[in-house]
Amino acid sequence: MSRYLVTSALPYANGPIHFGHVAGAYLPADVYVRLLRMQGEDVLFVCGADEHGAAITINAEQEGVDYPSYVARWRAEFKRTFDRFGIEFDVWSGTSVCPRHAEFSQEFFRRLAANGYLQKRTTEQLYCVHDAMFLPDRYVLGTCPKCGHAPARGDECPSCGSWLDAAKLREPSCKLCGNAPELRETTHWYLDLPKLRDAHIGTWFAEHEWKSNVRGFIGNMLEDLQPRPITRDMKWGVPVPAEFLEGEEGKVLYVWFDAPIGYVSMTAELCAARGDAEGWRRWWQDPDTRLVHFIGKDNIPFHALVFPSMLWGVQQDYVLPWAVPANEFYNLQGRKFSTSANWTLPLDEFFESYDAEAARFHLIASMPETADSEFTWGDFQSTVNASLADTIGNLATRVLRFIDKHFEGKVPSIDAATCVELDRVLLEECGAIGDPGAHVREFRFRRAAETFVANAAVANVFVDRLAPWALRKTDPERCAAVLNTACEWLALLARWMAPFMPHKAQRLWAMLGQAGPVTAPGWPQPPRPGAWRTLPCGTPLGEVEGLFAKLDDERIAGEVAALEARAQG
C-alpha cells in the first residue's frame, strides 16, 4: 500500500506570507492531506521555514538584530498565519533550528562529491572593497545581460526570470553600500546537473507524468542545463564540510541547496520526537512512498529538476517526486501582491472582520491551477453569499430549524418504502452528483469546490420540490420522510466539507446531533440508492446556528477603496 509524503514549499524567513502564497502552496496541500486521511491513507505533511541565505542577513543587519532572532520571528509569524487558515502540518520546523539539518545537508554534499556529481572550480566573484567581503548574489544589483532589465539581482532577473551569474551583470553595484565591486578569485563547488541529467534524471523526467506547466518549464531547461553553484562565501548557513576546505573559511552551502534537504531533516526531526530515530527512512527510502511537492511555479526548477537530481545523485535509494502540482501566481485585484507597495490584505485586519474558513473556501474555488488567477473583493462576496450562505448555510438552517420547531428537535422518521421513492427523486431527478474527492486526487481543487457546491444545490432542489413546510399539514408522515432525507444529505455535506472547511464541517456535524469528529466515518462516495443513509431516526439535533454571514455591497466597496488608499500612501 502506498504512503504519501506531502510537502509545501518552505517559506523564506524574510517577509510575511500573503493570500497568494497560501493559495499557491499551502492550502491545496492541506486539503489534499485531509482528504487522503479521510480515505484511510498513510500520510505525512512536512513543512518549515527556509532560514539561510543572503536576503536574511541583509535585512537582519539593517534591523540591527542577530540572524537567529530574525528568522525566529518570521518562523513564528508564518505559523500564526497557517493556524488562522487551519493549515495543519505534522511537523513545522526551520532549517536553522532543525536538529539534524546541518548533518543531512553536509552528508548530501559528501555523497554527491563521492559519486562524482560535484565540480570544484576557482572562478571570479564580485568582491566589495568597502565592506571587505565577497558578495552573495542577493547583495549584487545591476542590469540583466539577457533582457536589459534594471535592477536585476545577482541570481535572477525579476523581468525575464533567467538564472544569472552575478559576475555577468552589467554595471553591478553592492546592495549594502552602493559602490561598484571588483572581481576576485574564489573557490566554489557546483552541482553537475548535466551529468545527472544524462545519467538518469533526463530519462526519469521524460517518462514521468507531469502537470503541463511543469513539463514545459523543465523540458526547456533540460536542453541547456549548466552546472549550478552550491556554495557561497557567507557567515550564515550550513558550513561546507571541513574536509573539503583547504585552509579556507566562511564557506557555506548555498541556500537553494540546503533548503529542500529540510524536507528530509524535518521528517527525521518528527520521527525522532515520536521515538523512532530511523523512521524517516520509511518515508524517504521506501519505494512505496509517493512524494508530492506543493509549490508555486517559481519553485518548479528546484522541485522537479534540482532536488530530484540531488536525491538520486547521493545513491541512497531516496524516492523521487511522484507529483509536483505546481500552481501559477495568485494576484490581488488585477495586480501582483506586494507588501512593499501596500498592495496586499493585512491579515490581522482581515481575520478580525471576516470568516477564515469562508476565505479558505474562496481561495480553493479561485486557485491558480492552470493559469494566474486573483482575489477580488467582488468574487469573495459572491462566493460567501451565493455558494456558502445561500446554497449551504440556508439549506442547513431552514431544514434543521423547521425540525427543531415541528419535530421536537429530532431526526424525523421514514419508512422503507418511502426511502426507496425519495432516493429515486433525490439521486436521479434533482441534479448531477459528483465526488469532490476524485478531483482533489487529481489536483483539480477548483473543480472539487464546484462539485461540493453542486452537491449542496441538489439538496436545495429536492427540498424546494417536495416542500416539507406545505406537507406538514396535509401529510405529516411524508413531511417527516423528506426532512429525514434532507438531514441525511446534510450529514454527507458535512463530511464532504471537511477537507475544505474543517471547522464549519464539524459545526454542521454537531448540529445534526453527531458526536465525535466529522472525519471519523471516512470519506463518503456519491450515494447509491438504499446504501447511503447513516442517521438513526430520533437522534436529537444539536444547537442550530447560522454557518455563514452574508457580505453587503457597501462593506465590499469600502474594502476596495481601502486597498486603493493604502497603495497610494
Side-chain angles (χ1 to χ4, degrees):
M1 179 179 176
S2 297
R3 68 181 64 86
Y4 290 81
L5 177 56
V6 178
T7 74
S8 286
L10 306 187
Y12 194 52
N14 194 46
I17 287 176
H18 54 61
F19 273 34
H21 301 125
V22 172
Y26 306 101
L27 183 52
D30 186 76
V31 172
Y32 185 70
V33 166
R34 289 177 184 275
L35 171 78
L36 293 181
R37 289 196 168 125
M38 287 186 72
Q39 293 181 335
E41 301 284 8
D42 191 10
V43 190
L44 199 64
F45 189 13
V46 176
C47 195
D50 175 4
E51 298 176 345
H52 295 131
I56 286 169
T57 64
I58 293 172
N59 288 329
E61 289 166 5
Q62 289 177 343
E63 290 187 13
V65 300
D66 61 82
Y67 305 148
S69 298
Y70 182 82
V71 298
R73 186 181 84 218
W74 287 116
R75 188 189 319 123
E77 182 61 24
F78 294 159
K79 185 61 167 59
R80 184 165 167 256
T81 299
F82 293 136
D83 288 345
R84 286 165 154 177
F85 276 105
I87 295 169
E88 298 179 352
F89 306 108
D90 289 301
V91 58
W92 168 256
S93 188
T95 55
S96 71
V97 294
C98 180
R100 297 183 63 188
H101 181 68
E103 171 194 337
F104 273 97
S105 299
Q106 291 175 334
E107 187 62 15
F108 264 72
F109 185 95
R110 291 187 182 98
R111 289 188 174 274
L112 286 166
N115 294 333
Y117 294 120
L118 296 189
Q119 299 176 4
K120 186 178 181 181
R121 297 181 181 180
T122 297
T123 60
E124 289 187 320
Q125 186 175 334
L126 293 171
Y127 183 90
C128 181
V129 177
H130 178 272
D131 293 306
M133 63 184 291
F134 282 102
L135 296 178
D137 293 342
R138 291 290 182 97
Y139 280 62
V140 184
L141 297 176
T143 300
C144 175
K146 297 188 178 182
C147 74
H149 176 82
R153 298 196 310 258
D155 61 343
E156 184 179 8
C157 175
S159 178
C160 67
S162 298
W163 284 354
L164 300 178
D165 180 345
K168 295 182 180 179
L169 283 178
R170 299 201 300 267
E171 301 176 345
S173 64
C174 173
K175 187 172 182 178
L176 295 178
C177 66
N179 293 322
E182 63 183 39
L183 288 172
R184 291 189 182 182
E185 284 192 347
T186 185
T187 300
H188 286 294
W189 286 262
Y190 290 68
L191 181 64
D192 196 338
L193 289 172
K195 187 174 181 179
L196 286 157
R197 174 197 61 196
D198 296 343
H200 179 70
I201 294 300
T203 300
W204 165 76
F205 184 85
E207 294 177 348
H208 202 69
E209 183 177 345
W210 302 102
K211 278 188 72 173
S212 59
N213 59 347
V214 174
R215 180 165 294 282
F217 202 132
I218 302 302
N220 292 333
M221 290 188 66
L222 286 169
E223 296 177 5
D224 186 30
L225 205 54
Q226 301 296 322
R228 186 163 171 81
I230 64 170
T231 62
R232 275 294 178 263
D233 292 294
M234 286 184 62
K235 53 190 175 182
W236 175 244
V238 176
V240 172
E243 65 269 27
F244 288 84
L245 302 175
E246 298 176 358
E248 299 170 297
E249 295 181 356
K251 293 191 182 294
V252 300
L253 301 182
Y254 207 160
V255 63
W256 70 259
F257 179 85
D258 89 89
I261 298 171
Y263 299 136
V264 185
S265 61
M266 292 171 194
T267 304
E269 179 181 357
L270 175 64
C271 291
R274 292 177 173 177
D276 183 12
E278 294 300 306
W280 66 271
R281 297 185 185 277
R282 185 172 72 93
W283 293 97
W284 282 98
Q285 296 176 336
D286 187 318
D288 286 338
T289 296
R290 291 180 171 181
L291 175 59
V292 183
H293 292 307
F294 282 88
I295 58 171
K297 66 180 177 182
D298 52 333
N299 270 317
I300 289 174
F302 300 105
H303 290 79
L305 174 59
V306 177
F307 189 44
S309 297
M310 294 160 55
L311 290 169
W312 185 82
V314 297
Q315 296 292 290
Q316 284 191 298
D317 298 321
Y318 277 94
V319 297
L320 300 185
W322 178 72
V324 181
N327 277 334
E328 300 295 298
F329 289 146
Y330 193 72
N331 299 316
L332 172 62
Q333 294 279 153
R335 292 162 54 183
K336 290 183 178 180
F337 276 88
S338 173
T339 304
S340 60
N342 283 327
W343 196 255
T344 189
L345 300 175
L347 293 184
D348 285 339
E349 295 177 19
F350 184 91
F351 288 115
E352 286 175 2
S353 303
Y354 296 97
D355 187 328
E357 291 213 320
R360 180 182 163 107
F361 187 78
H362 179 67
L363 293 185
I364 297 166
S366 57
M367 201 167 282
E369 295 169 5
T370 57
D372 289 358
S373 62
E374 63 178 352
F375 179 99
T376 72
W377 279 104
D379 289 344
F380 178 55
Q381 179 188 27
S382 178
T383 296
V384 172
N385 292 357
S387 297
L388 299 181
D390 284 345
T391 306
I392 298 166
N394 184 53
L395 172 68
T397 53
R398 66 173 173 157
V399 167
L400 299 181
R401 284 175 178 162
F402 191 83
I403 293 172
D404 205 32
K405 183 176 181 180
H406 298 292
F407 290 85
E408 300 179 339
K410 298 178 181 179
V411 176
S413 60
I414 187 170
D415 61 61
T418 309
C419 270
V420 173
E421 179 201 350
L422 295 186
D423 275 7
R424 178 185 58 77
V425 174
L426 176 63
L427 304 181
E428 298 178 14
E429 300 179 7
C430 294
I433 301 165
D435 179 6
H439 299 302
V440 171
R441 283 273 192 169
E442 296 171 348
F443 310 114
R444 301 168 69 189
F445 297 93
R446 294 175 72 145
R447 180 63 62 83
E450 291 170 4
T451 301
F452 167 66
V453 174
N455 286 353
V458 166
N460 281 287
V461 172
F462 174 81
V463 171
D464 289 344
R465 177 179 296 187
L466 293 170
W469 45 87
L471 289 172
R472 187 177 70 85
K473 294 181 179 179
T474 61
D475 192 344
E477 290 186 0
R478 185 170 180 79
C479 174
V482 170
L483 293 169
N484 173 286
T485 303
C487 284
E488 293 280 9
W489 198 259
L490 286 170
L492 272 183
L493 288 175
R495 293 162 66 192
W496 278 324
M497 190 190 299
F500 306 112
M501 295 176 284
H503 297 296
K504 299 289 188 187
Q506 190 63 44
R507 281 176 59 190
L508 179 55
W509 191 243
M511 286 161 60
L512 290 162
Q514 301 305 295
V518 64
T519 56
W523 182 255
Q525 296 299 317
R528 293 178 292 107
W532 66 282
R533 297 171 182 265
T534 61
L535 299 181
C537 297
T539 300
L541 299 180
E543 181 181 356
V544 180
E545 57 184 346
L547 289 172
F548 303 100
K550 284 192 171 185
L551 305 177
D552 62 56
D553 293 344
E554 183 178 354
R555 184 179 184 185
I556 294 302
E559 292 291 1
V560 174
L563 174 64
E564 295 282 358
R566 284 196 302 271
Q568 293 171 7

